[in-house]
Amino acid sequence: MNSVKRLIFRIKTRPELYIGSRSLSLLQAYLYGWLNRDEASVVDGNLIGEFQGWIAEKYRISSTQSWAQIILFYSVDERDALEKFFRLFDEFLKENEKSE
């Protein structure tokens, strides 16, 4: 099964294996490449778009900045941003589960 959620959980355990180093920008590029390779087969492909809206709302951003750019802006560096992404993504999933 092709799942964004499952892929992110795998990357979280060993980021260097998938993206080379602990970098949010590398994660973003990897995720978009992975999604675009066969978007129709991804069961939860809309999750990244929903996460984008959630991040923009959480940080009260009304511009067209990507979720990665927003997180990076509020982080010390790429490594910190990646760790922050994983925490925020977990929070996003928990909030989504409550609203379903």
Side-chain angles (χ1 to χ4, degrees), residues 69-87:
Q69 290 170 315
I70 295 168
I71 295 170
L72 267 167
F73 182 79
Y74 290 98
S75 303
V76 175
D77 57 19
E78 287 278 349
R79 184 182 188 96
D80 178 54
L82 183 66
E83 297 307 316
K84 193 170 286 182
F85 164 80
F86 290 129
R87 285 192 308 272

Side-chain angles (χ1 to χ4, degrees), residues 2-3 7 9 11 14 16 22 27-28 31 45 51 55-56 59 68 76 78 81-82 87-88 91 93 95 98:
N2 284 324
S3 165
L7 177 63
F9 288 148
I11 294 171
R14 296 181 64 196
E16 295 85 357
R22 292 181 178 266
L27 174 67
Q28 180 187 34
L31 286 176
F51 182 67
I55 285 290
Y59 286 98
V76 175
E78 287 278 349
L82 183 66
R87 285 192 308 272
L88 289 165
E91 184 181 334
L93 290 176
E95 284 187 21
K98 289 177 187 173

Side-chain angles (χ1 to χ4, degrees), residues 9-93:
F9 288 148
R10 284 185 190 149
I11 294 171
K12 183 179 179 179
T13 60
R14 296 181 64 196
E16 295 85 357
L17 180 66
Y18 291 89
I19 58 176
S21 65
R22 292 181 178 266
S23 163
L24 184 61
S25 297
L26 291 176
L27 174 67
Q28 180 187 34
Y30 185 91
L31 286 176
Y32 286 142
W34 183 86
L35 273 170
N36 288 322
R37 85 201 185 318
D38 187 12
E39 199 169 348
S41 73
V42 180
V43 295
D44 56 0
N46 61 328
L47 214 50
I48 293 297
E50 292 173 14
F51 182 67
Q52 171 68 43
W54 184 84
I55 285 290
E57 186 176 313
K58 181 172 185 66
Y59 286 98
R60 295 188 171 108
I61 304 292
S62 59
S63 67
T64 58
Q65 301 297 314
S66 73
W67 54 267
Q69 290 170 315
I70 295 168
I71 295 170
L72 267 167
F73 182 79
Y74 290 98
S75 303
V76 175
D77 57 19
E78 287 278 349
R79 184 182 188 96
D80 178 54
L82 183 66
E83 297 307 316
K84 193 170 286 182
F85 164 80
F86 290 129
R87 285 192 308 272
L88 289 165
F89 192 74
D90 287 344
E91 184 181 334
F92 161 73
L93 290 176

